[in-house]
Amino acid sequence: MNEIEENIMIKINELLTNDISAIHVGIFSNSGVKNIQIMIESEKGITVDDCAKTSRLAEDIITMHKFVDDNYN
């Protein structure tokens, strides 16, 4: 993981609840658009709602800290 990916993962883990933790963040470029992949886990399992909440949380963190530009998925 590079420094930006690590910083995103740290910030996400500071705010995640319900025994969920981010275990990997990857940023990949495809045709000029950055794709951010976040892997989460929990001993209780992960639901689609957990993924959606984490995605919204990550979006807020990335925007607030300006980790990447506005052009990402």
Side-chain angles (χ1 to χ4, degrees), residues 2-12 14 25 27 34 36 57-70 72:
N2 67 35
E3 186 177 347
I4 293 172
E5 294 165 336
E6 190 171 326
N7 286 335
I8 292 170
M9 189 172 74
I10 289 167
K11 294 292 183 188
I12 290 171
E14 288 174 357
V25 173
I27 301 174
K34 291 182 181 171
I36 301 174
L57 177 67
E59 182 180 7
D60 291 343
I61 289 168
I62 292 165
T63 300
M64 182 171 49
H65 294 282
K66 298 180 183 175
F67 285 125
V68 294
D69 60 21
D70 292 337
Y72 70 90

Side-chain angles (χ1 to χ4, degrees), residues 1-53:
M1 252 187 300
N2 67 35
E3 186 177 347
I4 293 172
E5 294 165 336
E6 190 171 326
N7 286 335
I8 292 170
M9 189 172 74
I10 289 167
K11 294 292 183 188
I12 290 171
N13 278 322
E14 288 174 357
L15 299 174
L16 283 174
T17 58
N18 297 333
D19 226 14
I20 298 172
S21 60
I23 59 170
H24 180 76
V25 173
I27 301 174
F28 310 93
S29 267
N30 186 11
S31 301
V33 177
K34 291 182 181 171
N35 294 295
I36 301 174
Q37 178 186 56
I38 301 166
M39 294 181 187
I40 56 175
E41 71 175 2
S42 171
E43 288 187 17
K44 298 176 186 176
I46 297 295
T47 67
V48 172
D49 286 339
D50 294 331
C51 293
K53 289 175 187 175

